Amino acid sequence: MSDSNGKLASRLYPSHIDIPADVRSQVVSLLNQTLAATADLKSQVKQAHWNVKGTDFYQLHEMFDEIAGEIEEFIDMFAERITALAGYACGTVRMAAANSILPEYPTDILDGMQHVTALVERFAAYAKHLREAIDKTDELNEQDTNDLYVEVSRTIDKRLWFLEAHIQVSEVKSESGTQQKAGVK
């Protein structure tokens, strides 16, 4: 989190939870970084949903909306975990924009496959962040938060697969035995 929100992102309230305050502070800070990235990812998926054009418009429009709905649930799950640990959830749009690990969404694209490619790049970065958080929460022996990260990671990996399937190039053999490229590069 940025310096302006650093103290806020790791703020703890008094609690009877049996997790040491130093561990909770580290986990809450990590969760707030994830909360920012998750909110940003949802807004970027909605940006694609609203602006997609082309022959695959309807299919992608619907898929992007479904993905955004899933991510909305993750936003709530991360924010509620922060507060369950007696932390302060930094969940405004401005906080998310200031603290997201994701690059800004391109504004010069319309074609469906350009949107898919942009989302693939963001989902890959987000998935990497989740795996790093899995490792960090395991290292801190904070297994409830670790479980949350694992759950979200599985879904994000599946969505990354769905998105990548639209743009992957595969080699297929024709009936004559020659190699042909199929799909979009």
Side-chain angles (χ1 to χ4, degrees), residues 14 16 39 55 59 73 87 94 109 118 136-137 150 164:
H16 289 90
T55 57
Q59 164 196 336
E73 291 179 29
R94 289 180 184 170
I109 60 175
K136 181 65 174 174
T137 53
V150 169
E164 283 184 326

Side-chain angles (χ1 to χ4, degrees), residues 20-85:
D22 64 320
V23 171
R24 286 188 296 125
S25 179
Q26 290 178 68
V27 172
V28 164
S29 183
L30 179 61
L31 282 163
N32 266 310
Q33 184 180 38
T34 305
L35 179 60
T38 309
D40 188 21
L41 183 62
K42 182 210 172 207
S43 73
Q44 291 194 33
V45 173
K46 287 302 279 190
Q47 185 71 14
H49 165 78
W50 295 319
N51 291 291
V52 66
K53 307 282 187 242
T55 57
D56 295 322
F57 162 77
Y58 187 77
Q59 164 196 336
L60 293 175
H61 179 78
E62 291 294 313
M63 182 176 68
F64 296 161
D65 201 38
E66 183 179 322
I67 292 171
E70 283 178 336
I71 296 170
E72 178 71 31
E73 291 179 29
F74 300 152
I75 292 168
D76 200 47
M77 291 165 63
F78 286 122
E80 288 180 354
R81 183 64 189 156
I82 291 165
T83 57
L85 292 170

Side-chain angles (χ1 to χ4, degrees), residues 130-179:
L130 293 174
R131 272 184 268 294
E132 289 169 350
I134 289 167
D135 291 343
K136 181 65 174 174
T137 53
D138 189 48
E139 178 184 306
L140 292 168
N141 197 30
E142 213 298 89
Q143 296 307 310
D144 290 340
T145 304
N146 180 275
D147 185 56
L148 172 60
Y149 276 116
V150 169
E151 177 185 346
V152 173
S153 178
R154 275 194 297 268
T155 302
I156 293 301
D157 283 350
K158 183 177 180 181
R159 286 308 188 171
L160 179 57
W161 165 47
F162 283 13
L163 289 165
E164 283 184 326
H166 286 85
I167 60 172
Q168 288 174 330
V169 175
S170 60
E171 296 288 331
V172 294
K173 286 190 177 182
S174 68
E175 289 180 24
S176 66
T178 60
Q179 295 284 330

